[in-house]
Amino acid sequence: MVRKKNFSFGRIMLYVFFLITLIIISLGVYQFKDGLLYYLGFKTTHSDGLSDEERKIADIRIYEVLSEHQDFIFGMDVSEYQGDIDWVKSQKVEDTFALSFVFIRATAGKNKVDSKFKKNWKEAKKNNFVRGAYHYYRPNENSIQQANNFIKTVKLSSGDFPPVLDIEKLPRTQSLDSLKVGLKRWLTKVEKHYKMKPIIYSGESYYKDFLRKEFSDYPFWIANYNLWKKKPEKEWLMWQFTEKAKVEGIKGTVDLNVFNGDFVKFIEATKP
């Protein structure tokens, strides 16, 4: 004779409790699977160091901006950090949008010359990019020596962009007033040598806090990567809207820029 099992109310509630607990744990594991996989060593990352989610967000952002500015001209900026570039392949982004110009780091501080500048400068011209050269300004080094470093390194040709001063850091050993004096000395010396007004590159916050008022007679190239930013401000000559672009022929990521104006007229007007 087989005895019937006696399922008490308490035992049923215990089963229900375990079932609910199991469901909650399962949902939690799924929700935080990316974090768990990362810490367990199974997180998928791309060659640029971004996760799948980060890469998707960056790609959507890039495509959105490029699509909404199809009447504008696009370009990138590079330095030795991009390594050896295949300039023949580096003509488009997202396989659709042509890259027409490139800014190339030439120098930094009073004595640094970018190890890839000479090659990049030559190859960019060879592959029909409109070229620009920029100097990374070090606030705690002599401004005239920095200007001389740039002038000694960069030989501009007709049709090239004006020189660019890249300022992103605050000084550690001098006042902001002294920094601004140094920037003006660099700009004045470089403008006198090349006979064209330089462009100033900086982040939007730095620009608003320290540069916009005293340097308003210079054209500005502004970096703003905010996902909610849909278009450049009217006073910006260029807008650098991402640092996470993937361009064929270049390892890692690249900065992308929108030229905010009549590109042809600007280049014609700046010929030395």
Side-chain angles (χ1 to χ4, degrees):
M1 183 176 179
V2 179
R3 293 184 179 179
K4 292 184 179 179
K5 292 183 178 179
N6 184 22
F7 286 94
S8 66
F9 179 76
R11 182 174 294 182
I12 293 173
M13 292 304 297
L14 186 60
Y15 287 153
V16 171
F17 172 77
F18 281 131
L19 180 60
I20 293 173
T21 302
L22 183 61
I23 292 172
I24 292 173
I25 292 173
S26 299
L27 290 173
V29 169
Y30 178 79
Q31 182 177 356
F32 299 105
K33 63 183 185 304
D34 285 347
L36 290 171
L37 288 172
Y38 179 86
Y39 287 110
L40 290 173
F42 298 112
K43 178 67 175 175
T44 301
T45 56
H46 296 258
S47 58
D48 54 22
L50 301 181
S51 68
D52 281 339
E53 191 70 20
E54 291 169 330
R55 186 68 262 162
K56 287 176 184 176
I57 292 172
D59 289 342
I60 290 171
R61 161 71 168 167
I62 291 165
Y63 190 83
E64 178 187 46
V65 171
L66 294 176
S67 297
E68 293 181 0
H69 294 81
Q70 293 191 54
D71 294 334
F72 291 68
I73 300 297
F74 308 125
M76 60 181 176
D77 50 280
V78 300
S79 70
E80 63 187 28
Y81 298 116
Q82 274 71 43
D84 291 321
I85 297 173
D86 188 332
W87 287 91
V88 175
K89 293 181 179 179
S90 304
Q91 304 288 320
K92 293 183 178 181
V93 62
E94 296 287 337
D95 295 324
T96 304
F97 304 97
L99 295 173
S100 302
F101 64 90
V102 59
F103 283 93
I104 303 168
R105 190 178 76 159
T107 51
K110 62 184 180 181
N111 53 18
K112 164 72 176 178
V113 176
D114 191 288
S115 62
K116 300 293 183 182
F117 173 71
K118 187 175 181 180
K119 181 179 180 181
N120 285 338
W121 191 246
K122 178 181 178 181
E123 290 297 315
K125 183 77 169 181
K126 182 180 176 181
N127 287 277
N128 300 314
F129 283 89
V130 176
R131 305 175 301 182
Y134 73 90
H135 173 80
Y136 183 84
Y137 190 88
R138 292 175 177 163
N140 301 297
E141 296 183 10
N142 182 274
S143 59
I144 297 301
Q145 291 178 345
Q146 294 195 60
N148 288 334
N149 185 26
F150 183 84
I151 290 168
K152 181 176 66 176
T153 303
V154 179
K155 304 296 185 290
L156 295 179
S157 302
S158 180
D160 291 335
F161 271 99
V164 175
L165 176 62
D166 175 353
I167 175 63
E168 304 174 38
K169 301 288 186 180
L170 292 174
R172 297 189 307 271
T173 59
Q174 60 178 301
S175 67
L176 281 173
D177 287 339
S178 295
L179 169 65
K180 292 174 183 178
V181 169
L183 293 177
K184 288 178 180 178
R185 286 175 175 167
W186 190 99
L187 292 163
T188 299
K189 185 170 183 63
V190 168
E191 181 176 354
K192 182 178 180 181
H193 177 81
Y194 293 103
K195 297 179 173 55
M196 60 175 74
K197 188 175 287 293
I199 299 167
I200 302 176
Y201 167 91
S202 194
E204 184 176 14
S205 295
Y206 199 110
Y207 159 70
K208 287 181 176 179
D209 293 342
F210 309 116
L211 303 174
R212 179 164 57 181
K213 184 177 179 180
E214 287 93 337
F215 298 88
S216 59
D217 53 338
Y218 288 91
F220 275 95
W221 169 19
I222 299 299
N224 180 311
Y225 308 146
N226 192 318
L227 293 176
W228 306 110
K229 190 73 177 177
K230 301 300 182 183
K231 60 182 180 179
E233 300 297 324
K234 62 181 181 179
E235 65 267 24
W236 300 355
L237 176 68
M238 287 176 290
W239 172 31
Q240 185 182 91
F241 65 92
T242 184
E243 58 182 347
K244 297 177 179 178
K246 291 290 292 179
V247 174
E248 187 177 358
I250 301 179
K251 295 177 182 178
T253 57
V254 182
D255 304 330
L256 287 186
N257 308 277
V258 174
F259 187 89
N260 186 26
D262 191 318
F263 185 76
V264 175
K265 284 186 178 179
F266 178 80
I267 294 300
E268 287 294 325
T270 57
K271 286 183 177 179

